């Protein structure tokens, strides 16, 4: 007797069934009658594509057949943490507890130069590397940012630049510099003035909304496209759509929702997380309609689903990234920049910019390289195994002491995102094309 492949998940919506193969993302949309028929007399294609299998089907062999092989282990992202100083003190910020924060550390040109040389020794020039300027507020060390950009271009490195800023510092020199170097810019904003200013406050305890929006307006006037990063936390739960009119006002086509950062000040309950996921997907519906790309949660996975290419790593930190602190320590994840809370534990910052080994051969990079749901037995039977990417290893590490444990935030979210994607694709593409 035939049976449904155990790696197929069946979803139902308005009398349509979606048979979703969790290991290769192929999806079959059929009616109830058709579903009953395929078990009795499956056609050749259904058998070949293993939606339906015969009694001899070996699940382990099939899993191995679908297991994604990774060939490329090169470094593709480098965070230059230009300073620990920030002129904001957002309540959820995870940089607030950094050890270097209390020294007001600024990266020197000498450290930056060593960081560039370290990067140069470790990248594959055939692939483009993204240099991300991060902090603290990276524009507080604009001199060194300029140094890194000019020096890497002088060395003819194959790089592009990205800056993550709070949007508080802007002038004509910065605008010209961003334009000239085609820098990608991500500005943080969490909603309307009332919402944003509950969490994002400056060092004088004043709200930051007006300043951020005036910077966005300046960039807009100067023709600079940029993205918005909206961090979800207790202040904007239930109001995630508030950001949309602001995106529309300035014709911003790219944004990302950051999942909650918990730093001791902010604790989000289980119920709040469930409500957050619901609200997030409602906001995603509106964003999708308006043709705005929300990449952090949806777009990257929707693209993978459509192209049938597994999304196995949700972050470059899984073996492809370095982060350099202002004082020249080197680690794998900017979020694990050694801090007071974790200073006695492994911080994953084991060497500095003088390191002369091959970074990707280092045991930390080797370990993180393999952290995909396909190597985590807890995930093998999950519907999201090929779309989840494993979430954030930093979250797993800080909460449980082990990067190999599940990141619960992404886990709660992905269980809802998978059916959202399956039915969004059905509504937009399949329904009319196949006359459902
Ligand atoms: S592990 Fe988490 S914080 Fe670190 S780079 Fe990846 S997503 Fe970011
Ligand atoms: S982390 Fe959770 S959602 Fe992601 S693959 Fe594993 S079990 Fe599934």
């Amino acid at each position: 007797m035939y049976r449904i492949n155990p790696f197929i998940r069946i979803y139902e919506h308005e009398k349509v069934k979606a048979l979703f193969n969790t290991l290769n993302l192929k999806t079959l949309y059929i009616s109830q009658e058709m579903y009953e028929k395929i078990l009795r007399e499956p056609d050749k294609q259904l058998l070949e594509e293993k939606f339906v299998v015969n009694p001899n089907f070996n699940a382990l062999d099939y899993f191995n057949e679908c297991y994604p092989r990774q060939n490329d282990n090169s470094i593709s992202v480098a965070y230059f943490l230009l300073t620990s100083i920030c002129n904001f003190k957002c309540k959820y910020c995870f940089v607030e507890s950094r050890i270097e924060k209390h020294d007001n550390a600024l990266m020197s040109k000498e450290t930056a130069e060593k960081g560039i040389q370290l990067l140069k020794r470790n990248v594959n020039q055939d692939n483009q590397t993204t240099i991300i300027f991060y902090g603290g507020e990276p524009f507080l060390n604009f001199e060194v940012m300029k140094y890194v950009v000019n020096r890497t271009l002088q060395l003819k490195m194959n790089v592009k630049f990205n800056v993550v800023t709070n949007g508080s510092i802007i002038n004509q020199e910065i605008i010209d510099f961003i334009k000239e170097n085609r820098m990608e810019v991500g500005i943080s904003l969490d909603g309307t003035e009332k919402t944003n200013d509950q969490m994002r406050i400056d060092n004088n305890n004043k709200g930051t909304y007006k300043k951020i929006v005036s910077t966005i307006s300046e960039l807009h006037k100067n023709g600079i496209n940029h993205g918005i990063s909206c961090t979800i936390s207790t202040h904007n739960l239930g109001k995630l759509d508030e950001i949309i009119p602001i995106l529309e006002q300035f014709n911003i086509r790219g944004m990302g929702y950051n999942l909650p950062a918990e730093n001791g000040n902010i604790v989000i309950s289980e119920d709040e997380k469930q409500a957050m996921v619901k609200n997030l997907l409602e906001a995603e519906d509106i964003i999708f309609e308006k043709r705005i790309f929300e990449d952090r949660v949806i777009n990257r996975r929707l693209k993978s689903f459509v192209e049938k290419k597994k999304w196995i790593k949700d972050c470059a930190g899984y073996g492809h990234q370095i982060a350099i602190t202002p004082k020249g320590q080197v680690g794998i994840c900017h979020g694990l920049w050694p801090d007071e809370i974790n200073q006695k534990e492994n911080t994953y910052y084991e060497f500095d910019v003088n390191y002369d080994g091959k970074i990707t051969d280092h045991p930390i990079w080797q370990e993180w390289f393999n952290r995909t749901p396909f190597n985590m037995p807890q995930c093998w039977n999950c519907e999201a195994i090929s779309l989840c990417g494993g979430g954030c290893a930093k979250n797993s590490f800080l909460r449980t002491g082990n990067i190999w444990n599940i990141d619960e935030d992404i886990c709660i979210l992905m269980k809802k995102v998978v059916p959202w994607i399956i039915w969004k694709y059905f509504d937009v593409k399949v329904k009319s094309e196949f006359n459902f």
Side-chain angles (χ1 to χ4, degrees):
M1 271 314 289
Y2 295 108
R3 61 185 169 119
I4 298 287
N5 180 338
F7 292 104
I8 301 284
R9 284 300 160 97
I10 302 176
Y11 298 92
E12 201 166 339
H13 175 65
E14 291 173 359
K15 298 195 180 146
V16 177
K17 279 191 191 304
L19 276 59
F20 169 65
N21 187 324
T22 61
L23 297 184
N24 67 15
L25 303 171
K26 287 187 181 165
T27 308
L28 181 69
Y29 297 94
I30 50 174
S31 63
Q32 180 63 32
E33 301 84 68
M34 181 83 164
Y35 176 68
E36 282 159 19
K37 191 167 161 240
I38 63 167
L39 284 178
R40 284 196 309 274
E41 33 181 308
D43 67 22
K44 199 168 152 223
Q45 197 184 349
L46 284 180
L47 284 164
E48 270 173 13
E49 293 194 349
K50 303 229 171 33
F51 281 100
V52 180
V53 292
N54 62 40
N56 304 328
F57 176 77
N58 185 317
L60 192 57
D61 285 352
Y62 185 65
F63 185 85
N64 284 331
E65 201 182 294
C66 298
Y67 180 88
R69 317 277 155 205
Q70 301 185 64
N71 320 317
D72 178 16
N73 74 340
S74 58
I75 297 292
S76 59
V77 172
Y79 276 85
F80 279 74
L81 308 170
L82 293 182
T83 177
S84 62
I85 307 170
C86 190
N87 48 352
F88 283 10
K89 51 174 185 183
C90 305
K91 294 177 189 166
Y92 49 56
C93 179
F94 58 48
V95 181
E96 278 292 304
S97 63
R98 297 302 180 234
I99 294 168
E100 293 180 25
K101 166 101 183 157
H102 305 287
D103 298 343
N104 287 337
L106 284 166
M107 184 179 283
S108 66
K109 286 184 185 168
E110 196 189 9
T111 300
E113 175 65 29
K114 287 181 177 172
I116 293 165
Q117 295 300 336
L118 175 74
L119 190 60
K120 192 162 180 280
R121 289 195 294 277
N122 280 280
V123 290
N124 174 354
Q125 269 290 99
D126 293 339
N127 301 333
Q128 193 171 52
T129 304
T130 304
I131 291 182
I132 302 178
F133 297 110
Y134 199 87
E137 169 47 45
F139 281 118
L140 288 170
N141 198 0
F142 187 42
E143 282 308 305
V144 173
M145 187 189 297
K146 285 191 287 190
Y147 181 81
V148 172
V149 169
N150 293 333
R151 191 72 180 117
T152 49
L153 294 177
Q154 190 186 48
L155 291 168
K156 299 200 177 352
M157 290 170 70
N158 182 4
V159 287
K160 66 173 179 164
F161 307 102
N162 179 303
V163 58
V164 180
T165 172
N166 63 24
S168 63
I169 300 166
I170 196 82
N171 57 38
Q172 202 52 47
E173 189 192 359
I174 290 178
I175 288 173
D176 293 343
F177 181 77
I178 290 171
K179 265 181 136 168
E180 194 183 327
N181 295 294
R182 294 201 201 103
M183 292 179 85
E184 293 168 0
V185 183
I187 297 182
S188 305
L189 185 70
D190 294 349
T192 59
E193 182 167 6
K194 192 166 167 227
T195 303
N196 180 80
D197 290 356
Q198 281 174 46
M199 283 278 178
R200 300 191 65 76
I201 50 174
D202 67 15
N203 282 335
N204 299 316
N205 294 323
K206 296 261 168 36
T208 58
Y209 176 89
K210 285 198 175 81
K211 180 65 216 161
I212 301 168
V213 171
S214 117
T215 295
I216 291 174
S217 170
E218 267 317 293
L219 294 176
H220 184 66
K221 268 192 245 154
N222 282 277
I224 295 175
N225 291 326
H226 63 88
I228 290 285
S229 171
C230 174
T231 297
I232 306 172
S233 195
T234 45
H235 64 318
N236 56 5
L237 281 180
K239 303 179 210 161
L240 294 177
D241 54 340
E242 277 186 356
I243 197 79
I244 299 168
I246 305 166
L247 301 174
E248 287 191 292
Q249 183 186 346
F250 295 104
N251 197 24
I252 299 168
R253 310 315 302 169
M255 62 93 55
Y257 284 113
N258 288 331
L259 294 186
E262 289 166 271
N263 65 357
N265 292 335
I266 311 291
V267 178
I268 301 173
S269 72
E270 209 49 43
D271 286 352
E272 283 175 324
K273 283 184 184 169
Q274 293 291 354
M276 174 200 86
V277 169
K278 186 170 173 290
N279 180 225
L280 177 61
L281 292 179
E282 286 161 359
E284 296 282 5
D285 274 327
I286 305 172
I287 285 171
F288 188 87
E289 285 301 313
K290 294 188 181 289
R291 300 287 182 262
I292 295 168
F293 291 99
E294 191 288 306
D295 190 51
R296 194 75 193 85
V297 178
I298 292 294
N299 204 50
R300 54 180 65 179
R301 296 183 171 90
L302 186 57
K303 189 167 181 284
S304 294
F305 175 80
V306 172
E307 292 176 355
K308 306 301 169 212
K309 287 187 187 149
K310 297 179 185 69
W311 182 257
I312 61 165
K313 292 182 173 185
D314 208 15
C315 107
Y318 301 149
H320 305 275
Q321 174 176 292
I322 61 170
I324 306 170
T325 76
K327 290 182 177 171
Q329 285 175 281
V330 178
I332 196 159
C333 160
H334 61 290
L336 288 171
W337 183 350
D339 65 14
E340 290 162 333
I341 302 166
N342 301 292
Q343 63 177 318
K344 291 192 187 71
E345 297 181 38
N346 176 9
T347 60
Y348 292 105
Y349 277 73
E350 283 194 1
F351 53 85
D352 66 17
V353 278
N354 296 308
Y355 187 68
D356 60 4
K358 188 176 174 209
I359 294 175
T360 49
D361 286 347
H362 190 282
I364 292 175
W365 272 258
Q366 298 260 315
E367 183 187 14
W368 282 56
F369 177 75
N370 284 310
R371 190 192 180 277
T372 83
F374 277 83
N375 290 327
M376 297 165 76
Q378 317 94 298
C379 301
W380 288 346
N381 196 27
C382 171
E383 62 266 52
I385 185 168
S386 300
L387 287 174
C388 161
C392 173
K394 175 208 73 174
N395 278 353
S396 302
F397 178 67
L398 293 184
R399 289 175 187 164
T400 72
N402 191 335
I403 64 161
W404 289 95
N405 289 328
I406 277 177
D407 166 14
E408 281 180 6
D409 290 353
I410 199 78
C411 207
I412 293 172
L413 180 60
M414 280 306 121
K415 303 272 165 56
K416 299 277 195 294
V417 164
V418 169
W420 188 95
I421 287 176
I422 288 171
W423 294 116
K424 186 60 79 186
Y425 186 74
F426 176 77
D427 284 342
V428 173
K429 191 93 181 118
V430 182
K431 203 172 182 175
S432 54
E433 237 175 70
F434 295 93
N435 237 347
F436 264 94

